[in-house]
């Protein structure tokens, strides 16, 4: 409770309100986190403990055998595991950098300039979010093969540069930047590109860190399904899927894969979150 | 104003906005190539018979009439999807905001910790298969195990193979997963609300946190609220992965069939691309309609 009461010296706060809200947070927090704790524990359970009655949440005799099983399974595949890791990291890295730059550059005029076609362009981006990607796979495949990108990384990376979601998120955040700030820069003689890079971008750091997390999640989870056929170009996610589908005999290894797959985005999130909070404290928009 | 002068005026305006177009161009070119064109092609395909081997054959509205008049499973899919969207959409939207709002009041360390807890399920990728273990049909699943141990059940229940339980479980899992993009955007949005507004509000007679929320916080966050609404809308209407992972494909008696699983069925299993495109177009129309409604409602926030 101390957490809340000392958090803000703000007026208009009642203690009973704070306590009940914090209680609400704890109850639902437990609902969110218990299945994950179960998943983490499963990864360290010996097989007889995974299939025990009554089932247990926590592991009693933790073992690393699931991870060693996993390594054995993977050493059977003819592409080294490191290759899957490299593929995923490569796709994710380039995809994120390209997307953040392109989407932000496009979001700035949409948020702050007036020009013919602006409303139309933004509407199309929002509308596109409502079309199910499952059915555009065929036209996309045709375009990829026309470009000669089938079975290359680019088929996954380049479309990621232009996901609708990122542009939309950025535009919404850039709208909140006070116009006065941009006017002042313009009077000082800054070009539009300079304003974008040195004023707008630093001011939307919370948004672009959010965007990086989102994109990481999308790309980290991509399996290149439909575009990538060569085993050496396939992603970690694809390799993991193969193991998880192995059924009961691989229940342990499956749990281990799950833990590895989830721990990476979570670690990245923890890392970037501290950056988010830091940048928010120093952002020029507040106080 | 004559046609010619209107054009020359527009052209002049476009020239003046040269920089805007330069900034937009790289994104828009790729966006057109990989999103706009495929969507347009797919809407056109919805009026054809297309099996991916032969050239598409134009058949007019036939796919659509078949969809609504002959396809009983589609009606189940529509019913499930609407049920799903009506329950999970608003609940998770409000939950995203409420939790982000409470978390925002915490000290930075608690804030980081609680954000992680609420966001972890949706960032962890495909961990929802953990619910397969929880609701597995034998005694080793947590749900059956505990209910048997506590004496509520004698025999394990085949949760994901029993029609009556499938949808409630999917809804539960979807809610668990739903504090995602919208939630993060709200957290970031709350951070960008101008603090001086609260001080001014207190001077102007705002008495408690609820009034503060309605008159200051919500209106200041309108851009993020709009964004969150669209995200929530698309995720709750497009549910498919969770259904396939948990209830199987196809699910028992189509109890977990949604519009998108139906589409996947025709698109990737039966190779009837024209028909699948018609399904996508119908879903698209439903979503666009709902979106207009939601945006209208959101404009009234804080009034």
């Amino acid at each position: 409770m101390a957490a809340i009461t000392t958090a803000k010296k703000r007026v208009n706060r009642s203690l009973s309100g704070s306590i009940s809200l914090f209680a609400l947070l704890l109850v639902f927090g437990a609902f969110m986190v218990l299945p994950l704790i179960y998943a983490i524990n499963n990864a360290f359970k010996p097989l007889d403990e995974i299939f025990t009655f009554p089932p247990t949440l926590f592991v009693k005799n933790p073992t690393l055998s699931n991870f060693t099983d996993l390594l054995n399974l993977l050493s059977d595949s003819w592409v080294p595991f490191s290759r899957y890791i490299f593929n995923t990291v490569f796709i994710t890295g380039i995809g994120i950098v390209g997307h953040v730059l392109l989407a932000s550059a496009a979001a700035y005029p949409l948020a702050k300039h007036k020009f013919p076609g602006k409303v139309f362009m933004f509407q199309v981006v929002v509308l596109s979010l409502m079309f199910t990607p499952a059915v555009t796979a065929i036209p996309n495949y045709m375009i990829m093969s026309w470009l000669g990108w089938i079975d290359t990384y680019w088929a996954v990376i380049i479309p990621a540069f232009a996901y609708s979601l990122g542009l939309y998120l950025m535009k919404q955040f850039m709208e909140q930047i006070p116009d006065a700030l941009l006017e002042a820069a313009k009077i000082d003689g800054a070009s539009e590109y300079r304003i974008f890079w040195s004023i707008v971008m630093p001011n939307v750091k919370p948004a672009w860190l959010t965007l990086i997390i989102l994109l990481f999640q999308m790309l980290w989870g991509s399996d290149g399904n439909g575009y990538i056929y060569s085993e050496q170009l396939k992603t970690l996610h694809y390799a993991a899927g193969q193991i998880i589908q192995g059924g009961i005999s691989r229940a342990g290894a499956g749990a281990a894969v799950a833990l590895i797959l989830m721990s990476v985005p979570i670690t990245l999130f923890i890392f970037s979150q501290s950056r988010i909070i830091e940048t928010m404290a120093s952002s020029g928009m507040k106080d | 104003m004559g046609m010619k002068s209107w054009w020359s005026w527009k052209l002049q305006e476009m020239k003046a906005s040269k920089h805007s177009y330069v900034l937009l161009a790289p994104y828009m070119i790729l966006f057109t190539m990989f999103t706009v064109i495929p969507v347009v092609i797919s809407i056109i395909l919805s009026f054809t018979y297309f099996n991916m081997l032969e050239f598409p054959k134009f058949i007019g509205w036939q796919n659509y009439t078949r969809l609504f008049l002959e396809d009983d499973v589609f009606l189940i899919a529509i019913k499930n999807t609407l049920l799903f969207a009506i329950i999970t959409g608003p609940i998770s939207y409000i939950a995203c905001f409420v939790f982000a709002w409470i978390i925002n009041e915490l000290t930075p360390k608690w804030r980081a910790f609680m954000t992680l807890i609420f966001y972890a399920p949706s960032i962890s990728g495909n961990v929802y298969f953990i619910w397969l273990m929880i609701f597995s049909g034998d005694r080793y699943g947590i749900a059956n195990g505990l209910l048997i141990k506590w004496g509520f059940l004698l025999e394990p229940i085949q949760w994901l193979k029993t029609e009556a339980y499938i949808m409630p479980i999917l809804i539960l899992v979807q809610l668990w997963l739903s504090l995602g993009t919208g939630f993060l955007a709200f957290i970031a949005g709350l951070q960008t609300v101008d603090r001086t507004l609260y001080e001014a509000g207190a001077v102007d007679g705002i008495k408690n946190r609820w009034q503060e929320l309605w008159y200051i916080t919500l209106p200041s966050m309108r851009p993020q609220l709009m964004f969150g609404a669209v995200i929530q809308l698309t995720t709750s209407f497009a549910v498919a992965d969770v259904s396939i992972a948990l209830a199987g494909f196809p699910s028992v008696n189509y109890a977990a069939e949604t519009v998108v699983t139906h589409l996947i069925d025709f698109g990737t299993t039966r190779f009837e691309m024209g028909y699948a495109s018609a399904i996508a177009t119908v879903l698209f129309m439903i979503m666009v309609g709902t979106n207009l409604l939601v945006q209208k409602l959101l404009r009234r926030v804080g009034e």
Side-chain angles (χ1 to χ4, degrees):
Chain A
M1 249 43 63
I4 284 195
T5 44
T6 57
K8 291 267 159 25
K9 286 161 235 72
R10 255 157 67 181
V11 285
N12 290 330
R13 288 291 175 272
S14 68
L15 182 64
S16 61
S18 297
I19 292 172
S20 47
L21 287 177
F22 197 62
L24 189 77
L25 204 60
L26 288 182
V27 170
F28 284 93
F31 167 68
M32 300 307 276
V33 86
L34 280 176
L36 291 175
I37 291 178
Y38 177 59
I40 293 167
N41 276 280
N42 264 0
F44 296 100
K45 281 179 187 171
L47 207 55
D48 61 312
E49 235 180 282
I50 292 180
F51 297 103
T52 180
F53 180 84
T56 52
L57 182 59
F58 295 105
V59 53
K60 285 198 197 78
N61 305 303
T63 166
L64 287 176
S65 67
N66 291 327
F67 293 90
T68 48
D69 283 357
L70 177 64
L71 281 178
N72 291 334
L73 270 173
L74 290 169
S75 61
D76 290 344
S77 77
W78 58 276
V79 171
F81 194 57
S82 55
R83 183 71 205 218
Y84 293 125
I85 295 178
F86 170 80
N87 292 340
T88 296
V89 170
F90 182 79
I91 289 174
T92 309
I94 308 241
I96 288 176
V97 173
H99 179 85
V100 169
L101 288 177
L102 262 56
S104 310
Y108 167 53
L110 288 179
K112 287 294 173 190
H113 292 170
K114 267 206 179 88
F115 56 90
K118 163 179 154 165
V119 176
F120 174 75
M121 280 191 232
F122 183 62
Q123 296 289 359
V124 173
V125 172
V126 176
L127 279 180
S128 76
L129 281 169
M130 288 168 213
F131 204 86
T132 322
V135 80
T136 50
I138 302 291
N140 259 321
Y141 186 91
M142 300 193 299
I143 292 171
M144 291 301 169
S145 80
W146 177 69
L147 288 166
W149 288 356
I150 297 295
D151 214 16
T152 66
Y153 292 125
W154 307 115
V156 181
I157 295 174
I158 303 288
F161 285 4
Y163 279 153
S164 325
L165 202 59
L167 173 71
Y168 187 14
L169 180 84
M170 274 302 184
K171 188 237 175 200
Q172 297 300 79
F173 273 86
M174 287 176 182
E175 265 179 4
Q176 287 177 320
I177 298 174
D179 286 328
L181 199 64
L182 306 179
E183 289 301 324
K186 217 172 277 178
I187 290 166
D188 289 345
S191 73
E192 284 297 342
Y193 310 100
R194 206 184 141 81
I195 292 176
F196 164 66
W197 191 249
S198 343
I199 295 171
V200 174
M201 280 303 259
N203 264 301
V204 289
K205 267 185 194 162
W208 57 260
L209 287 166
T210 307
L211 188 59
I212 290 174
I213 294 167
L214 284 179
L215 222 70
F216 177 84
Q217 209 182 333
M218 279 187 199
L219 289 166
W220 178 252
S222 72
D223 52 6
N225 200 0
Y227 301 124
I228 292 180
Y229 301 105
S230 307
E231 199 65 34
Q232 337 41 329
L233 296 182
K234 288 193 166 163
T235 62
L236 198 57
H237 207 81
Y238 166 84
Q242 301 279 339
I243 292 162
I244 290 170
Q245 277 161 21
I248 291 178
S249 59
R250 292 182 182 174
V257 173
L259 180 65
I260 293 172
L261 278 186
M262 68 189 248
S263 62
V264 176
I266 286 182
T267 312
L268 181 96
F269 179 67
I270 293 171
F271 179 73
S272 60
Q273 206 195 15
S274 60
R275 288 273 310 159
I276 293 178
I277 286 162
E278 197 180 299
T279 52
M280 279 177 185
S282 63
S283 167
M285 248 152 74
K286 267 136 272 111
D287 301 337
Chain B
M1 192 164 28
M3 203 56 186
K4 192 163 169 245
S5 64
W6 185 85
W7 270 113
S8 59
W9 176 68
K10 272 281 163 199
L11 209 66
Q12 203 182 349
E13 223 184 335
M14 286 170 84
K15 265 187 197 145
S17 322
K18 191 177 69 197
H19 302 300
S20 310
Y21 295 114
V22 172
L23 284 165
L24 268 161
Y27 178 91
M28 280 300 167
I29 291 168
L30 295 181
F31 174 70
T32 307
M33 262 173 79
F34 299 114
T35 304
V36 177
I37 294 176
V39 167
V40 171
I41 292 180
S42 145
I43 292 175
I44 295 171
L45 283 179
S46 76
F47 294 98
T48 66
Y49 172 81
F50 181 33
N51 57 13
M52 302 209 306
L53 298 171
E54 301 156 73
F55 192 79
K57 197 174 81 196
F58 183 75
I59 54 165
W61 291 93
Q62 227 169 291
N63 284 326
Y64 292 92
T65 51
R66 176 179 160 202
L67 203 50
F68 285 103
L69 300 177
E70 290 162 38
D71 191 341
D72 294 338
V73 180
F74 179 66
L75 297 182
I76 298 176
I78 286 264
K79 195 196 79 196
N80 283 342
T81 305
L82 289 180
L83 184 72
F84 211 90
I86 289 167
I87 298 176
T88 64
I91 293 182
S92 53
Y93 183 62
I94 293 169
C96 278
F97 184 81
V98 168
F99 291 125
W101 178 62
I102 303 175
I103 286 170
N104 191 49
E105 306 247 310
L106 304 174
T107 52
K109 272 199 185 120
W110 274 90
R111 189 191 298 152
F113 178 68
M114 291 313 278
T115 308
L116 175 67
I117 292 213
F118 279 87
Y119 189 57
S122 85
I123 203 183
S124 318
N126 295 345
V127 284
Y128 47 76
F129 75 87
I130 194 72
W131 291 89
L132 270 182
M133 301 189 205
I134 295 174
F135 285 110
S136 86
D138 50 31
R139 308 159 15 114
Y140 307 118
I142 283 252
N144 277 329
L146 290 181
L147 289 173
I148 292 173
K149 190 177 139 196
W150 294 335
F152 290 105
L153 286 181
L154 292 174
E155 288 293 311
I157 292 180
Q158 292 271 348
W159 296 104
L160 295 162
K161 298 277 175 264
T162 310
E163 271 181 67
Y165 297 126
I166 292 179
M167 278 299 278
I169 290 175
L170 289 189
I171 288 173
L172 182 81
V173 175
Q174 186 67 30
L175 285 173
W176 181 71
L177 278 169
S178 66
L179 271 81
T181 319
F183 176 67
L184 270 196
F186 288 161
I187 296 249
L190 282 162
Q191 296 285 319
T192 47
V193 176
D194 190 353
R195 295 263 171 270
T196 54
L197 287 177
Y198 293 112
E199 285 150 34
V203 174
D204 287 347
I206 279 183
K207 287 192 202 65
N208 54 45
R209 75 176 89 213
W210 311 105
Q211 287 186 350
E212 199 174 80
L213 176 67
W214 184 251
Y215 292 110
I216 302 173
T217 313
L218 286 174
S220 313
M221 279 183 63
R222 200 169 277 141
Q224 284 84 19
L225 290 176
M226 295 272 186
F227 174 79
V230 170
I231 298 305
Q232 219 61 63
L233 192 92
T234 52
T235 46
S236 38
F237 273 99
V239 56
D241 293 352
V242 175
S243 165
I244 292 172
L246 297 187
F249 183 60
S251 46
V252 177
N253 251 335
Y254 298 107
E257 188 86 340
T258 66
V259 176
V260 178
T261 63
H262 199 55
L263 184 159
I264 293 172
D265 182 14
F266 280 93
T268 62
T269 319
R270 306 180 201 212
F271 296 115
E272 288 194 41
M273 283 318 292
Y275 196 62
S277 302
I279 298 174
T281 310
V282 169
L283 181 65
F284 179 59
M285 295 324 258
I286 296 176
M287 278 158 84
V288 171
T290 317
N291 182 39
L292 291 175
L293 200 75
V294 169
Q295 305 280 345
K296 212 172 230 171
L297 284 175
L298 279 178
R299 272 191 206 109
R300 310 180 63 164
V301 160
E303 273 173 6

